[in-house]
């Protein structure tokens, strides 16, 4: 092998590596910490990119919201528009699934081990929030939050969140919580380093 072909070979190898690495370079994230003023828990805050360019395909498989030990689990479920949610019942008592919001639905009441799907495909102005209720147990409450794009996360108890796979660009990051609010914030995501965006929500 001549010296020239060695150099050319390594250049080709570098180009091939760059081509392979490109999707990973795009897999940057936005992360941060959210505080909810006056609340012991900073969990269940949806952090999301308000509007991302392009169209997004909902997951082929339904996303689950269970009814377990008399609670909707998860309590807050953000989904991409068009996503089907499978409402399960894991309790020995029958549960009902209905929402008084947006187009409204009442999927009926069913027994343990059964589930029904509902497609959240009718959102005209994001986010569309559906309070998720059960007619059998008025104390039960959950939320389905329908979003324009798949770049969202829910905070854990410590208020931490991480959004993965956001393509580089400039965005507005917004938050949703059942009882508290905060203004959206601008963020620029670049491929080299993850962005940090913190929020303090107030009632
Ligand atoms: Cu119930």
């Amino acid at each position: 092998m001549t010296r020239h072909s060695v150099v050319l070979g390594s250049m080709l190898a570098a180009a091939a590596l760059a081509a392979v690495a490109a999707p990973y370079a795009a897999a940057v994230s936005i992360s941060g910490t959210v505080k909810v003023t006056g609340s012991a828990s900073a969990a269940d805050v949806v952090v999301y990119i308000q509007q991302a360019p392009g169209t997004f395909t909902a997951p082929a498989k339904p996303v689950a919201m269970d009814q377990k030990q008399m609670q909707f689990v998860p309590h807050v479920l953000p989904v991409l528009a068009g996503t089907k949610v499978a409402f399960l019942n894991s309790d020995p008592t029958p549960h009902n699934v209905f929402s008084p919001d947006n187009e409204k639905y009442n999927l009926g009441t069913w027994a343990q081990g059964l589930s029904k799907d509902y497609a959240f495909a009718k959102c005209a102005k994001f986010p569309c929030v559906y309070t998720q209720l059960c007619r059998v147990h008025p104390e039960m409450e959950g939320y389905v939050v329908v979003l324009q794009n798949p770049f969202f996360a829910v905070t854990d108890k410590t208020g931490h969140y991480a959004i993965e796979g956001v393509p580089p660009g400039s965005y507005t990051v917004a938050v949703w919580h059942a009882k508290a609010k905060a203004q959206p914030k601008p963020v620029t995501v670049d491929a080299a380093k993850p962005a940090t965006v913190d929020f303090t929500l107030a009632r």
Side-chain angles (χ1 to χ4, degrees):
M1 212 190 248
T2 65
R3 180 172 171 77
H4 183 76
S5 68
V6 169
V7 171
L8 184 64
S10 61
M11 281 169 67
L12 286 172
L17 193 65
V20 168
Y24 296 98
V28 292
S29 70
I30 303 168
S31 66
T33 304
V34 177
K35 287 186 184 127
V36 182
T37 306
S39 173
S41 173
D44 292 326
V45 180
V46 180
V47 185
Y48 63 98
I49 288 179
Q50 269 187 338
Q51 183 80 31
T55 53
F56 302 95
T57 306
K61 280 177 63 179
V63 176
M65 180 177 260
D66 202 355
Q67 291 175 96
K68 198 172 185 179
Q69 296 177 336
M70 310 297 275
Q71 290 186 331
F72 287 102
V73 182
H75 182 58
V76 173
L77 179 65
V79 297
L80 171 63
T83 298
K84 262 188 204 163
V85 174
F87 290 97
L88 316 172
N89 179 3
S90 293
D91 279 340
T93 60
H95 283 298
N96 164 258
V97 167
F98 85 99
S99 177
D101 298 322
N102 304 301
E103 75 271 20
K104 302 175 177 57
Y105 52 79
N106 183 351
L107 306 186
T109 300
W110 56 92
Q112 186 171 35
L114 301 178
S115 106
K116 267 192 196 177
D117 291 353
Y118 185 79
F120 289 86
K122 296 189 174 77
C123 185
K125 188 174 182 295
F126 299 102
C128 289
V129 179
Y130 294 77
T131 310
Q132 183 50 65
L133 300 168
C134 167
R135 288 205 192 281
V136 186
H137 308 104
E139 71 279 13
M140 290 180 68
E141 193 176 63
Y143 299 92
V144 177
V145 180
V146 181
L147 300 168
Q148 179 263 342
N149 62 74
F151 308 121
F152 53 73
V154 181
T155 54
D156 62 19
K157 270 185 290 188
T158 66
H160 185 259
Y161 77 92
I163 303 173
E164 303 296 336
V166 182
S170 291
Y171 303 98
T172 301
V173 186
V175 290
W176 178 88
H177 180 271
K179 296 191 174 94
K181 286 181 163 63
Q183 286 299 312
K185 290 186 176 184
V187 65
T188 297
V189 172
D190 86 54
K193 71 176 176 60
T196 302
V197 184
D198 298 332
F199 289 93
T200 300
L201 280 67
R203 277 157 203 264

